[in-house]
Amino acid sequence: MAQHVRDIMTSRLVTVEPQTSVTAAAQKMRDEDIGIVLVCEGDELRGVVSDRDLVIRSLAEGGDQEKRTVASACSADLFTLTPDEDLDTAVQMMREHAVHRIPVVDQGHPVGIVSIGDLAIERDPRSALGGISSAEPNE
C-alpha cells in the first residue's frame, strides 16, 4: 500500500502562463481531458486554475473570454504538498481546504498533482469514487 504522495501522484503536468486566455486554458483542459492546469512562470508555480474556477470566476462574469487571463481566474489560495509527505497529510489538507486536487512541488517546482480520485483508488478502490476514478473516460 502506498504511503507517500509520490506513490500515487500524477506526474503528467499541463501548464499555462498567467497571461494565457481563459479560452486557451479551457481548450487545453478539453484536449488533455483534465480538470486543472498549473499556472507557472518559468518553472515556478504561481497558481492553479480548475474547470470550476473558469466557470465561477470567468464565464459567469461575462465579457470577452479571449481577453480575460487565467491570472484573473486562479484560485487565490495555493496549497501544495511535497512528494515525501504521507497520504494522510494529503487527505487532511483536502478535507481542511475543501479541494479535490493539490499540486505537488519539490523545492518550489511542480512535479505532480494528487487528486481525491488518486486517493480513492489507493485507499478504497471498490468504493464508488474509486471505481469512477479508475474507469476509462467516455468520449
Side-chain angles (χ1 to χ4, degrees), residues 2-88:
Q3 297 298 315
H4 297 98
V5 169
R6 79 167 68 261
D7 300 325
I8 68 165
M9 71 181 194
T10 300
S11 57
R12 185 178 65 88
L13 302 177
V14 178
T15 64
V16 296
E17 295 179 346
Q19 67 274 16
T20 303
S21 74
V22 294
T23 301
Q27 290 167 341
K28 201 170 242 201
M29 287 179 189
R30 177 199 61 206
D31 295 346
E32 297 288 335
D33 193 29
I34 56 174
I36 193 169
V37 293
L38 302 179
V39 180
C40 296
E41 286 184 298
D43 63 349
E44 294 292 321
L45 180 64
R46 297 293 183 215
V48 298
V49 66
S50 70
D51 45 8
R52 184 175 191 281
D53 292 332
L54 293 179
V55 171
I56 301 299
R57 295 192 183 114
S58 187
L59 188 59
E61 296 296 319
D64 187 347
Q65 300 301 306
E66 279 295 321
K67 292 182 181 173
R68 191 179 303 259
T69 65
V70 293
S72 69
C74 276
S75 297
D77 298 322
L78 183 60
F79 308 103
T80 62
L81 293 162
T82 66
D84 296 324
E85 290 188 82
D86 62 53
L87 296 183
D88 290 335

